[in-house]
Structure formats: structure tokens, C-alpha cells
Amino acid sequence: MEIHQAMTEQAMKFSFYPAHAFTNTAFLELSDLVVSLAPGTLKNNSRVWVTCTGTDATDDAVRLARQYWVEKGQSSKYQVISRWQAFHGNNIAVAGFSGLTGRRKIFQPMYIDSPHIPPAFCYRCPYEKTYPQCNLLCARALDTMIRQQGPENVAAFIAEPVVGAALGCVPAPDGYFQIIREICDRYQVLFIADEVMTGWGRTGKMWGVDHWQVTPDIIATAKGMTAGYTPLSAIIARDDIWAVLQENHSPFKAGHTLNANAVSCAGAIAVIQYMQKNHLVENAAARGDQALARLQKIMDARPTIGRISGKGMMFGFEFVQDKSTKEHFPPNKKLSSMLEWAAFDRGLITYPCTGSIDGVLGDMVLLAPPLVITEQEMDTLLEILDQSIDDVEKQLGLH
Ligand SMILES: Cc1ncc(COP(=O)(O)O)c(C=O)c1O
């Protein structure tokens, strides 16, 4: 109610203003609020750029990285290194540095050169090692890639703290992002955290990176910032990055007609204040623990669930044909979609994903319930999920 009210009040004042020529109070208030909530050393030491979608945010994050290096006189730095099995959005440039094979393939000839390193995915370790004896080779691969490309050519590394759609909610192992941070610092590469899905309490902490106390140079964020009430996204970047552009009198070369829309900014402020007043981040953490505990029981009891993973209100699981070998089901069976429809019929929306093995094979399911969910509602959700998995197993003739 208070969110609708804040947006309505703003709309009654004015809805549109050209952001290239004016600013507005809602945008300024929102920026101050975001900066006060930013993680680590970005807190009260960063500036905010507000745009429309998550894709705009990741696109603008790499634009800022590129423009920063150009303004600093290091114009050879342009490459964005990312990871396979990662999703950063849906325009041609962003899909290029995303690592979601199924969505990349047909546009492949249109991408610019974006090197990818393997994902941090212990269940199907790309190096066939076991954590922590693996020495986090998946993080150290960034060091190798930067040296192969030449640090003088690399502008930024982008990663999701918890991989969402491309892996079905897989958090990085402890220590991963600390190594990433060290490597980025060593080679003067900006670390961009894609917090489009993980930001604003979804993982049980305000930011995904808060789980490892690592501060990125730039954050791209969206979704939970307005809880779906209205389109809005943002980048948060270190003050001194923006200062370089400012000193050179060089405006940020990005922007859309509806950037920093006043009604959306008012909605975002109201959403963030609602989250704070109702302790939704804490609720996400508690309900996430509840979900993972029950999912563990479901996995133990069910022959087809090989892996559960997640943090807070972002969790998922993977179907396998054989738990000991992790053998996947034939892709034409479309396990994740079977589960989607079984759950949908019972009133539960799930997100089917594929590609955990090689970007194409492997059936995962992602769940991202609302942060306001109660303990009882979470029980109901998990009960429906269990019944839906049972349904899929019956369809497979496993009972
Ligand atoms: C991690 C991540 N980055 C970027 C995006 C793109 O956001 P949008 O769909 O708002 O463009 C998404 C969307 O799901 C996402 O999950």
C-alpha cells in the first residue's frame, strides 16, 4: 500500500523529466539511500546511476569500466572477462559476455571478443577436483586468462555472487571472491558484481558479496530494488571512478530516455524502506535456512535429486538419472519443464533451467520466492515442490 501511495504521489507531481537536462528529488533521495546501504568500502563512498532494466545495468557497468580506463589514459583496456554458465542480460553486447550457451549460440557471430573462464561450480567441478583441496583453480583461472589476454587489454571481470538462471542458484565457494579481488587488484582490472538477482536481500544479506566481505568496484543491480512494482535498475560505483570522468569534464556515455524515472525512483525508495521496516533481509535468511533444510530431506528421499544449492530466497536443485555418477536425463525428456508444469498445476511457479554440465545438458530448477514469505507459506511451498517432484518421478515410471 505504501509503495503504491509513494508512486501515486510522485506521479501526481510529474512523471517524466529528461534526465540529461534535469534531476529530481526522488532520484537524489534514492541515490543517497543506496549509497548508505552499499557494501564494504562502497558505503558512503560511491555514486549511483539509475537506469531501466537489469540488462541496462550490466551494460552500463562495463561501459563505465571502459570509459574509466579511456579517461585515465589506458585506452587499450576494453576486454570484459566473464564466466561460462553465467547470465548477465539480454541485449547483444551483454549476451556476448554472458555465458549462457543456449541463449548465445545463434547470435554468436555478432559478439565482440569476451573471454570466458570456467564457472565456480563444485558439484560439477570443471577441473574434477574437490573443494577445498582444489586450491580454487576456478578463481585462479582469472589470473591465467588476464595474462593470456594481456592485462593492458582487460577492463573488467564480471560475475554473479550466486549464479542464478544459468546454474540454478549456485553460490561461489568460500574464498573464491577473495582470490578474484586479489587478482583484479594485481592487474588493475575492475571487478563488477552482477547483483541484479542477488541484491536487496534476496540471498539473506543485503548484497550477495556480503557473504564473503568482498567489495566490488562496480555493482549492477535491479529486480528487488523495486520488487517488480516498476522497471528500474542501477549501477553503484566507487567515487573515484566517477571522479575521473568528472575531472575530465566527460559525461558518462550511456543513458536512456526513461533513465532515473521519477515514479520508479519513488517506488524504489518505498520498497527499500518497506524492506528495512519489516526486516525482510533477515526473513530471507531464516526462510532460506528452512528451505535448504527441507530440500536436503527431499534430496535424501528422492532418487532423482542430485544437488541442492542456494542462499536465502534463491535456491534450486538439479535432476540426475544416477546420483553416484551424476548422469543427466536425456534432454528430450525436458525434466525441468516437466517439474515446472507439475508445480504450476499445484499453484507454484518455478523457473526451469538447463545447461549445468556444458551449457546445454543438465536439468536444474530455480526458486525465488517473495521476501515477505512466512514460515507457514514456505512449508506449503516445499510441500508442493515435493509433491511435484513425486509427480515427475511417477511420469518417469520410477515408482
Ligand atoms: C544475474 C542477472 N543479470 C542480469 C539480468 C538481466 O536483467 P533484466 O531481465 O532486468 O534485463 C538478469 C535477469 O534475470 C539476471 O538474473
Side-chain angles (χ1 to χ4, degrees), residues 52-56 58 87-90 94 160 162 164-165 194-198 222-223 233 351:
C52 308
T53 70
T55 304
D56 298 335
T58 52
F87 182 61
H88 299 297
N90 249 342
V94 173
E160 300 158 83
V162 180
D194 179 349
E195 297 254 10
V196 167
M197 197 184 282
T198 49
K223 294 190 195 278
S233 63
Y351 189 86

Side-chain angles (χ1 to χ4, degrees), residues 3 28 44 55 61 64 70 86 102 140 142 144 148 165 211 220 223 227 232 252 266 289 298 303 307 335 344-345 386:
I3 297 161
L28 294 174
N44 297 326
T55 304
L64 180 61
V70 172
R140 297 181 200 284
L142 179 60
T144 311
Q148 282 169 338
H211 289 281
K223 294 190 195 278
L232 181 136
F252 182 30
D289 290 347
I298 294 176
R307 180 248 312 175
L335 264 274
F344 197 81
D345 284 347
D386 195 20

